[in-house]
Amino acid sequence: MKHPVGDQSPEDLRNTFEKNLQQKIGGIAARPEAAEVVTCQGRTAVFCGGAGGGSGNDVRVVHVGPPSESELVLAYLCEGMYDALTQLMGGSAERTMVLDNIELVFLLIDEHCDGGIILEVDGTKLAGAVLLRDEEGVGEMGMDQGSGMPGQPAQQGVPQGVSTGDMTLGQAFMVARQQFMANMTSRDGM
């Protein structure tokens, strides 16, 4: 079902905006550590990366906000996300590597913001959260019934005998799903 805005559906408007934005930023080589700012159809767009030129970093992180949004806030968000993405991809944001690890990108987006609320902007903390590790190497979720690794407290949902740094991606997704469901259940009062 189309909801006409003039003669265009919302999907057509989004596609037009994305094409215009891509044309506008296509020729700009943004450095990973410094976001570039452009305006497209009355919206502020900030992006990092995509330098190309043989460096291997051919992925861009783009944040789009309303015209009233602070460019500095958008730039800070974008730089933190690009830094985390680069860390997760082993130091290089190449398209093939990002596509091969798309589940990590989805987890990164989830850790970055939720429903328009900024949760974290520090690249190192974002990457650590995606990998289900905190800075000390011990989870903040509390103790589990199991013993975990010898001499260390167990972490909620982490299989016995496995540290969070040694979990497989499947185990990490299982733990994330369990934590998500537990949070949703407790939030909804069920």
Side-chain angles (χ1 to χ4, degrees):
M1 176 178 181
K2 291 190 176 187
H3 302 281
V5 179
D7 288 339
Q8 294 184 325
S9 70
E11 295 82 20
D12 292 338
L13 290 171
R14 187 191 75 234
N15 288 337
T16 301
F17 175 78
E18 289 175 359
K19 285 178 188 177
N20 290 339
L21 181 61
Q22 182 57 37
Q23 287 175 350
K24 195 155 197 173
I25 68 175
I28 302 172
R31 298 186 322 245
E33 69 279 356
E36 296 289 335
V37 180
V38 296
T39 303
C40 182
Q41 295 181 350
R43 295 184 181 191
T44 304
V46 179
F47 63 98
C48 290
S55 68
N57 294 330
D58 59 356
V59 173
R60 288 188 181 202
V61 172
V62 181
H63 279 70
V64 178
S68 60
E69 186 66 61
S70 168
E71 294 173 2
L72 292 175
V73 170
L74 289 173
Y76 194 57
L77 291 169
C78 193
E79 290 165 0
M81 184 145 189
Y82 189 82
D83 181 39
L85 180 67
T86 304
Q87 288 179 37
L88 289 171
M89 298 301 131
S92 175
E94 294 178 5
R95 184 178 318 161
T96 55
M97 186 174 289
V98 169
L99 290 174
D100 288 344
N101 295 288
I102 195 72
E103 64 278 354
L104 292 178
V105 177
F106 291 144
L107 288 172
L108 174 60
I109 292 168
D110 185 56
E111 292 293 329
H112 185 51
C113 64
D114 184 24
I117 299 172
I118 300 166
L119 300 176
E120 183 62 66
V121 293
D122 182 78
T124 303
K125 289 181 181 178
L126 281 167
V130 168
L131 297 174
L132 298 176
R133 287 188 244 164
D134 61 16
E135 294 173 341
E136 293 84 34
V138 177
E140 298 174 353
M141 296 302 294
M143 305 290 275
D144 199 10
Q145 284 104 4
S147 61
M149 296 296 288
Q152 294 183 358
Q155 297 175 6
Q156 180 177 354
V158 177
Q160 277 189 315
V162 178
S163 71
T164 55
D166 296 331
M167 289 174 38
T168 67
L169 195 53
Q171 290 170 327
F173 274 117
M174 185 184 314
V175 170
R177 183 177 63 223
Q178 290 169 350
Q179 291 174 354
F180 175 77
M181 294 305 291
N183 288 340
M184 292 300 291
T185 303
S186 66
R187 185 179 77 177
D188 293 336
M190 293 182 166

